């Protein structure tokens, strides 16, 4: 029986008796032949005949210690259907040290949990050996422009395929009106060949990789089916008597490739749209900040900041980091976190959430959390984890997809043999077998569930609802009552004027003066006033000597009158 050697990084050991306790726990696992624990380098060397890595990790946990683990995220390329997902997952799980692996076809990413000592390059090599591309995702997000360019290339390929295939299909529609005409074979050949071998080259490449990895995928089905139709057309053309129009199938192969390309383009566009929520959340993170060094402001990238740095945040700007106010008075619109529509007063000692919008005061903020440790980054990670998770139904889909392509190939061969045994001509038998190959496409099988999960979590995130996992999304349809744990009232996240009462004069004039003072302001309350003014079609005049009063409000002069608009503190200062 083959033996496997595991090297486990163990944390929590403090003395020799700890090492002895872990050794005894590991030796009790069925299938373990030897276990030696080194206290100095905190590693356990285990020789096993049948025990799995999960059993060893559980044994260490039960002994009161832990095996150091790490999470890796891979961006994948070359996957086309659900069977690809299963193949990549199996390749990753075979890597010694991998505890779990989840592949998402919609986002083209893999989430892998392993022991901490595993070299991530082993994961990349395993995926490459399975016939796909893989790379560790960087801390920076993918370039949205690159994704848009890739989508543009796919769009152009679809348009070209449809334009080339159209002249081959139009004569078929002419038959409906009694017009029997067909393009000459040489012209059909010239139109179909670029579609088959230039625009359809991706199917041959991906299909060959699948064969080389000892498996099959949707691209293999498309390549086999369309090649059979194309090859049969060449054969029919070659054996046809001079001057006689042969029965050709160039249009079938060209149309199948064009339609599959269209499907792949729509699939790519759907993936891009479902990730819009993540991009919207990321857009809330400023890319640059003003760092205060020795009394001078310097414009730096967010990645250049360190914990404890002092950043300057001007009125109307987003806070670039989580931090603590050390100087200044203002308000912060924190609706992205709390859903509260009213801005929250901020003064020295108060906490700030990165991504929130500063009010009308200048603040100095000391950074207390950066990068992936900010509240907003953790929210983004939560949404991504929910999108990458597999719903219970997806596990059933994965099991079916593993045998789908081989089953389709066997059915196609059985179809071919069955028609031949029944006495049909080779042409008829081949066409029916090809129909099985090209119609039985497992792509939707593997894409439907992850795409639905991404769409659901994405729409929820845009409305401020965070879904922790795919299972919650699957069972939420059965919910018939919702209890909100919320102090006060549920809000829409932005203020609006619902009632206005003027102490003197009419409400229309009071709104005109308030709107004039707040023209151009980005304060949430100012926007509420301006939206109400616009709805009532109130013309707002220009204010003279306008002045923002930090932490209090705004003042100015209009038509010879001194005006002030703000909070209770401003009213007290004005003697009102």
């Amino acid at each position: 029986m083959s033996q496997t050697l595991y090297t486990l990084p163990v944390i929590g050991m403090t003395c020799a008796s700890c090492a002895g306790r872990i050794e005894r726990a590991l030796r009790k696992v069925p299938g373990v032949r030897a276990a030696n624990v080194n206290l100095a380098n905190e590693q356990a060397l285990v020789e096993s005949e049948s025990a799995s890595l999960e059993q060893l990790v559980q044994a260490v946990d039960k002994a009161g210690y832990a095996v150091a683990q790490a999470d890796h995220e891979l961006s994948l390329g070359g996957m086309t259907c659900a069977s690809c997902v299963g193949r990549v997952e199996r390749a990753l799980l075979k890597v010694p040290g991998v505890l779990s692996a989840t592949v998402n076809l919609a986002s083209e990413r893999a989430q892998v949990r392993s022991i901490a000592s595993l070299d991530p390059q082993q994961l990349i090599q395993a995926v490459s050996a399975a016939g796909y591309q893989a790379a560790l995702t960087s801390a920076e997000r993918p370039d949205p422009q690159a994704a848009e360019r890739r989508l543009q290339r796919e769009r152009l390929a679809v348009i070209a395929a449809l334009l080339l295939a159209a002249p081959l299909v139009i004569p078929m529609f002419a038959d409906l009106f009694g017009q029997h005409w067909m393009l000459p074979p040489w012209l059909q050949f010239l139109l179909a060949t670029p579609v088959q071998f230039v625009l359809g080259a991706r199917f041959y490449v991906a299909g060959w990789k699948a064969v080389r990895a000892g498996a099959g995928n949707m691209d293999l089905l498309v390549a086999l089916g369309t090649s059979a139709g194309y090859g049969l057309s060449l054969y029919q053309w070659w054996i046809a008597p001079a001057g006689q129009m042969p029965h050709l199938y160039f249009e079938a192969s060209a149309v199948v490739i064009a339609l599959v390309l269209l499907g792949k383009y729509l699939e790519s566009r759907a993936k891009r749209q479902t990730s819009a929520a993540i991009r919207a959340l990321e857009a809330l993170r400023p890319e640059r900040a003003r760092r205060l060094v020795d009394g001078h402001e310097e414009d730096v990238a967010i990645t250049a900041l360190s914990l404890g740095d002092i950043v300057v945040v001007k009125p109307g700007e987003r806070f670039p980091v989580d931090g603590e106010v050390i100087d200044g008075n203002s308000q912060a619109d924190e609706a992205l976190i709390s859903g509260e529509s009213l801005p929250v007063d901020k003064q020295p000692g108060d906490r700030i959430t990165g991504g929130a919008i500063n009010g009308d005061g200048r603040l100095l903020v000391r950074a207390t959390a950066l990068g992936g440790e900010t509240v907003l980054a953790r929210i983004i990670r939560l949404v991504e984890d929910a999108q990458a998770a597999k719903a219970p139904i997806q596990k059933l889909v994965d099991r079916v997809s593993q045998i789908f392509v081989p089953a389709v190939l066997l059915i196609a061969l059985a179809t071919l043999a069955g028609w031949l045994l029944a006495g049909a001509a080779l042409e008829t038998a081949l066409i029916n077998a090809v129909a099985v190959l090209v119609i039985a496409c497992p792509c939707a099988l593997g894409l439907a569930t992850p795409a639905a999960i991404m769409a659901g979590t994405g729409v929820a995130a845009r409305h401020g609802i965070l879904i922790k996992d795919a299972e919650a999304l699957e069972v939420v349809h059965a919910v018939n009552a919702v209890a909100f744990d919320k102090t006060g009232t549920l809000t829409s996240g932005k203020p609006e004027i619902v009632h206005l009462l003027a102490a003197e004069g009419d409400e229309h004039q009071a709104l005109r003066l308030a709107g004039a003072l707040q023209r151009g302001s980005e304060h949430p309350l100012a926007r509420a006033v301006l939206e109400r003014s616009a709805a009532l079609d109130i013309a707002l005049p220009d204010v003279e000597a306008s002045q923002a009063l930090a932490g209090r409000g705004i003042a100015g002069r209009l038509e010879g009158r001194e005006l002030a608009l703000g909070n209770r503190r401003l009213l007290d200062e004005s003697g009102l």
Side-chain angles (χ1 to χ4, degrees):
M1 183 177 291
S2 62
Q3 297 177 4
T4 306
L5 196 64
Y6 293 104
T7 302
L8 308 179
V10 181
I11 53 179
M13 294 189 295
T14 57
C15 60
S17 63
C18 297
R21 191 152 56 247
I22 294 172
E23 283 183 355
R24 289 191 295 274
L26 288 170
R27 287 169 183 163
K28 288 180 182 178
V29 177
V32 171
R33 292 193 65 237
N36 294 289
V37 178
N38 188 318
L39 177 63
N41 61 14
E42 296 185 312
Q43 286 188 342
L45 197 63
V46 184
E47 194 175 319
S48 166
E49 288 183 342
S50 58
S52 66
L53 180 60
E54 289 80 6
Q55 289 176 299
L56 302 179
V57 171
Q58 289 171 6
V60 174
D61 287 340
K62 287 180 181 178
Y65 305 90
V67 174
Q69 299 178 12
D71 291 318
H72 310 280
E73 185 178 62
L74 303 177
S75 58
L76 304 172
M79 295 193 304
T80 57
C81 62
S83 61
C84 299
V85 172
R87 191 152 55 253
V88 174
E89 285 184 352
R90 290 193 296 274
L92 289 170
L93 289 171
K94 287 180 181 176
V95 177
V98 170
L99 295 166
S100 64
T102 302
V103 175
N104 189 310
L105 176 62
S107 62
E108 294 185 316
R109 298 214 170 190
Q111 304 287 343
V112 182
R113 170 158 291 185
S114 70
I115 58 176
S117 57
L118 177 71
D119 184 357
Q121 289 302 318
Q122 292 179 261
L123 303 176
I124 296 174
Q125 291 169 5
V127 174
S128 298
Y132 303 91
Q133 301 92 47
L136 286 171
T137 55
S138 59
E140 297 183 3
R141 307 304 306 173
D143 179 11
Q145 295 300 322
E148 185 60 39
R149 287 192 295 271
R150 188 163 55 249
L151 199 62
Q152 176 72 13
R153 286 195 298 271
E154 290 193 26
R155 187 184 303 121
L156 292 175
V158 170
I159 292 172
L162 291 174
L163 289 176
L164 289 169
L168 298 171
V169 178
I170 290 174
M172 299 174 62
F173 289 100
D175 282 343
L176 298 175
F177 304 98
Q179 301 296 319
H180 303 290
W181 54 273
M182 193 69 66
L183 297 177
W186 65 267
L187 185 52
Q188 292 190 46
F189 171 78
L190 291 179
L191 289 170
T193 300
V195 178
Q196 185 73 39
F197 299 109
V198 178
L199 301 174
R202 57 186 290 177
F203 301 114
Y204 289 97
V205 172
W208 169 245
K209 288 181 178 178
V211 171
R212 200 171 56 185
N217 61 5
M218 170 207 156
D219 292 307
L220 181 60
L221 298 182
V222 174
L224 287 175
T226 58
S227 296
Y230 183 88
L232 181 60
S233 298
L234 290 178
Y235 174 74
Q236 295 282 74
W237 182 18
W238 180 50
I239 66 171
Q244 182 177 331
M245 186 67 184
H247 200 170
L248 305 179
Y249 300 95
F250 284 125
E251 86 285 343
S253 297
V255 168
V256 166
I257 288 178
L259 292 179
V260 174
L261 287 175
L262 175 61
K264 287 188 174 291
Y265 165 70
L266 295 175
E267 173 188 320
S268 297
R269 196 174 70 167
K271 290 177 186 177
R272 180 162 170 75
Q273 289 173 345
T274 53
S275 60
I278 298 294
R279 294 197 303 273
L281 288 172
E282 289 164 354
L284 300 178
R285 266 192 311 211
E287 295 183 355
R288 305 191 69 80
R290 292 186 187 86
R291 181 168 57 190
L292 191 65
V293 180
D294 298 330
H296 299 286
E297 295 181 16
E298 57 180 20
D299 185 69
V300 298
I302 293 295
T303 53
L305 293 176
S306 303
L307 290 177
D309 281 353
I310 308 299
V311 296
V312 179
V313 186
K314 295 184 177 180
E317 293 182 340
R318 289 192 182 273
F319 293 99
V321 296
D322 289 2
E324 178 185 351
V325 177
I326 61 172
D327 185 60
N329 290 275
S330 185
Q331 312 85 30
D333 176 8
E334 298 181 335
L336 83 159
I337 300 296
S338 64
E340 294 288 354
S341 56
L342 292 177
V344 181
D345 289 334
K346 296 296 180 182
Q347 55 191 4
D350 289 341
R351 309 290 294 182
I352 289 294
T353 302
I357 301 174
N358 187 21
D360 52 15
R362 178 179 181 270
L363 295 178
L364 298 184
V365 179
R366 179 185 291 111
T368 58
L370 299 169
E373 297 307 313
T374 63
V375 171
L376 184 58
R378 292 201 297 272
I379 290 175
I380 292 173
R381 198 154 55 240
L382 182 65
V383 175
E384 288 180 325
D385 290 345
Q387 290 188 341
K390 287 191 176 182
I393 189 63
Q394 181 68 19
K395 296 173 184 176
L396 174 62
V397 170
D398 289 347
R399 285 200 297 271
V400 173
S401 66
Q402 288 176 13
I403 62 171
F404 194 92
V405 173
V408 169
L409 291 172
L410 289 175
I411 293 172
L413 289 173
T415 302
L416 178 65
W419 279 94
L420 290 174
L421 290 174
L426 175 62
E427 178 184 347
T428 302
L430 194 58
I431 288 299
N432 289 326
V434 168
V436 172
L437 287 177
V438 296
I439 290 172
C441 167
C443 190
L445 184 70
L447 185 68
T449 302
I453 291 170
M454 290 184 72
T457 53
V459 170
R462 283 199 296 274
H463 289 81
I465 301 170
L466 300 182
I467 297 171
K468 69 174 185 175
D469 57 34
E471 185 173 358
L473 192 64
E474 183 174 311
V475 300
V476 76
H477 74 278
V479 171
N480 52 30
V482 179
F484 291 97
D485 180 11
K486 180 81 164 58
T487 303
T489 59
L490 291 171
T491 68
S492 64
K494 68 173 187 175
E496 61 180 64
I497 295 177
V498 295
H499 181 66
L500 177 65
L501 179 64
E504 295 180 6
D506 59 20
E507 287 77 11
H508 191 281
Q509 177 64 8
L511 193 60
R512 175 176 175 270
L513 296 176
L517 275 172
Q518 295 181 306
R519 282 180 65 184
S521 173
E522 290 299 316
H523 194 285
L525 294 181
R527 287 200 295 270
V529 172
L530 295 174
E531 287 174 2
R532 180 72 170 182
S533 301
L536 297 177
D537 200 21
I538 298 176
L540 302 178
D542 293 326
V543 175
E544 300 173 359
S546 177
Q547 179 183 10
L549 306 173
R552 291 167 293 165
I554 191 170
R557 188 164 50 253
L558 176 65
E559 299 168 354
R561 298 173 63 184
E562 295 292 335
L563 302 177
L565 176 65
N567 54 21
R568 187 80 212 177
R569 179 179 161 195
L570 179 61
L571 294 181
D572 293 340
E573 291 178 359
S574 304
L576 300 175

